[in-house]
Amino acid sequence: MAPKQLHCLALSSGVILFSRGAGSTSLALIGSLAGCEMFAHGHGVQMISAEGTPLKVFWKSFDNSALLIVFADPTDDEQHLGKLLEFIFDAMVLLCGRDSATDHTNVERTQRELRVCFPLVDCLLRQHFDLFCDVTDRFDFVPIRADAAFAKVVENLVQIVDSPYGCLVSRGRLVAATSRWMQLTHSEVFLISLLTQFQLCQAWDVPIFLPHHSPKVPHRLLSFQLTAAVYFMVLCGPQPSLSTLESKILRVWEPWLSDLWALRHASEIAGNGDTNVISYLLMPREETRCYFYYSIRSNSSECFSRLHCAKILKNFFLYCAQFWAIQKEPEMRPKEVWKKLTAYICFATRFEKTDFYGLLPPTLPDYAIRSAVLKMID
């Protein structure tokens, strides 16, 4: 599912701005693809993809300026590749601004400025995260019942900063957020959450642009690490300073430290002997959220690591989306989809208000799958 290579070119000149990913591609091939895009663009034709024996080529232009070309596996879903390129361009805008991402008058300067986005672009290419927003277009949330208490603390803290944008994040997933933070696009929230992977200090102050809400005017992203995987983040203006705010933020969260540490277990499935579900994804239809659960028992098997479970469920989600899209009439769509392989079983079903995507052990008998899923949901 992870693409092999990515190339970003200036659409007007065909000059390569940067290349990321494993392996190498000849400049002649990249130039030919860029030439095809430029020729098609000049004749009002949109080029989308081309498929060869070893790889599929998918490309997309942005703002009539930047051209992104990705080399992927022939089995990769084109809709997902299109979303991936949109996320990558948004990552460029997030850290560099739309002007730097699209103004290629001075190519050398653009190449230098775009280097700051390489870690985030590499993360998107490798798919080295267990979030689902990039395929579901939903906010990833931690499944807890005490979110109202955390939300109250977040609301009080953003008033200190004099900003309407604030959130509490655990392993990249939202725990609580202000109403204005939830008005950001899925892409903006997703990319900002991924930035916590690169925070190497307790407090972080970095300028970012909002790709859809403020692509040309930067904001300050203040991020405070509260525990090993929990961060409080806020968007604000030039004031207050990080040093002034750090002690206040940490002092407010100090009484909550035990609850914050407990968040690392919030997505874990109870490890009792009756658990027959390795991992699953819940998507309530009336919400814009999704919840990922993972069995701690699978830690003993490298095959079923948390990250690997997420990748399997992502592929299965895309498979189901294509399968259900074939049936135009809602009443004709099957309520269940099965995929039984040697190493695991994938099972999806549509409850009255929730969609379920599960990963189960291959030893589970067919007749026991529904009961295991229902028991887990209950």
Side-chain angles (χ1 to χ4, degrees), residues 90-97 113 116-117 120 195 206-209:
D90 283 349
M92 295 163 56
V93 175
L94 181 82
L95 296 175
C96 302
E113 291 178 345
V116 70
C117 69
L120 187 54
L195 288 178
V206 60
I208 66 167
F209 299 81

Side-chain angles (χ1 to χ4, degrees), residues 175-186:
V175 178
T178 62
S179 58
R180 290 294 295 274
W181 189 279
M182 295 301 296
Q183 291 176 14
L184 299 178
T185 65
H186 298 94

Side-chain angles (χ1 to χ4, degrees), residues 52-358:
T53 303
L55 292 173
K56 174 188 291 184
V57 182
F58 192 93
W59 59 87
K60 192 169 187 176
S61 61
F62 296 87
D63 290 355
N64 293 323
S65 177
L67 175 65
L68 293 179
I69 303 175
V70 64
F71 291 83
D73 191 272
T75 59
D76 285 349
D77 179 67
E78 289 195 1
Q79 184 177 359
H80 175 64
L81 290 175
K83 284 185 180 180
L84 174 64
L85 294 185
E86 291 175 1
F87 279 121
I88 289 174
F89 182 74
D90 283 349
M92 295 163 56
V93 175
L94 181 82
L95 296 175
C96 302
R98 185 172 293 275
D99 290 339
S100 295
T102 58
D103 184 3
H104 307 145
T105 306
N106 188 328
V107 174
E108 291 184 356
R109 185 190 65 187
T110 302
Q111 290 173 333
R112 288 195 304 269
E113 291 178 345
L114 289 177
R115 289 175 187 170
V116 70
C117 69
F118 286 178
L120 187 54
V121 170
D122 291 343
C123 179
L124 291 168
L125 277 178
R126 295 195 310 266
Q127 299 284 292
H128 197 68
F129 48 83
D130 59 7
L131 305 178
F132 288 81
C133 180
D134 58 321
V135 296
T136 63
D137 290 332
R138 290 168 174 252
F139 297 109
D140 287 278
F141 262 83
V142 176
I144 59 171
R145 297 182 179 180
D147 56 339
F150 286 120
K152 187 174 182 180
V153 179
V154 171
E155 290 285 354
N156 292 335
L157 283 175
V158 294
Q159 292 179 9
I160 297 176
V161 188
D162 192 23
S163 168
Y165 299 98
C167 72
L168 185 67
V169 174
S170 175
R171 286 181 171 174
R173 288 180 163 77
L174 291 172
V175 178
T178 62
S179 58
R180 290 294 295 274
W181 189 279
M182 295 301 296
Q183 291 176 14
L184 299 178
T185 65
H186 298 94
S187 175
E188 291 168 340
V189 173
F190 171 64
L191 293 173
I192 293 174
S193 297
L194 285 182
L195 288 178
T196 58
Q197 295 189 17
F198 313 108
Q199 182 171 338
L200 302 177
C201 50
Q202 190 173 39
W204 202 22
D205 185 346
V206 60
I208 66 167
F209 299 81
L210 298 176
H212 301 280
H213 285 85
S214 182
K216 296 186 177 182
V217 179
H219 294 260
R220 289 172 66 209
L221 173 65
L222 305 183
S223 179
F224 304 89
Q225 185 176 17
L226 306 178
T227 69
V230 179
Y231 299 82
F232 172 71
M233 296 191 292
V234 61
L235 290 175
C236 64
Q239 296 296 330
S241 67
L242 182 67
S243 57
T244 302
L245 195 60
E246 182 178 3
S247 58
K248 295 180 181 178
I249 297 295
L250 298 179
R251 186 166 58 249
V252 170
W253 284 111
E254 188 174 359
W256 295 84
L257 280 180
S258 59
D259 298 287
L260 294 175
W261 277 106
L263 289 174
R264 59 182 172 175
H265 302 297
S267 298
E268 294 175 355
I269 302 172
N272 56 61
D274 295 331
T275 301
N276 284 312
V277 179
I278 299 172
S279 178
Y280 64 95
L281 176 70
L282 280 185
M283 295 176 51
R285 293 198 201 97
E286 297 180 358
E287 300 180 16
T288 58
R289 307 180 178 191
C290 63
Y291 305 94
F292 172 62
Y293 294 82
Y294 171 72
S295 174
I296 57 176
R297 294 190 306 160
S298 54
N299 281 334
S300 59
S301 172
E302 184 179 354
C303 177
F304 293 122
S305 66
R306 182 186 180 99
L307 182 60
H308 190 57
C309 286
K311 289 183 177 180
I312 293 174
L313 286 177
K314 278 187 181 182
N315 282 322
F316 184 55
F317 173 84
L318 293 172
Y319 171 80
C320 292
Q322 289 180 326
F323 186 80
W324 277 321
I326 296 174
Q327 304 294 336
K328 301 299 183 181
E329 299 296 331
E331 61 272 10
M332 297 296 292
R333 295 174 185 170
K335 291 186 177 180
E336 296 179 355
V337 178
W338 300 52
K339 196 174 183 181
K340 193 166 185 178
L341 302 176
T342 305
Y344 53 82
I345 300 172
C346 289
F347 176 75
T349 186
R350 301 170 71 91
F351 294 105
E352 183 179 354
K353 296 182 179 180
T354 304
D355 293 341
F356 172 94
Y357 301 86

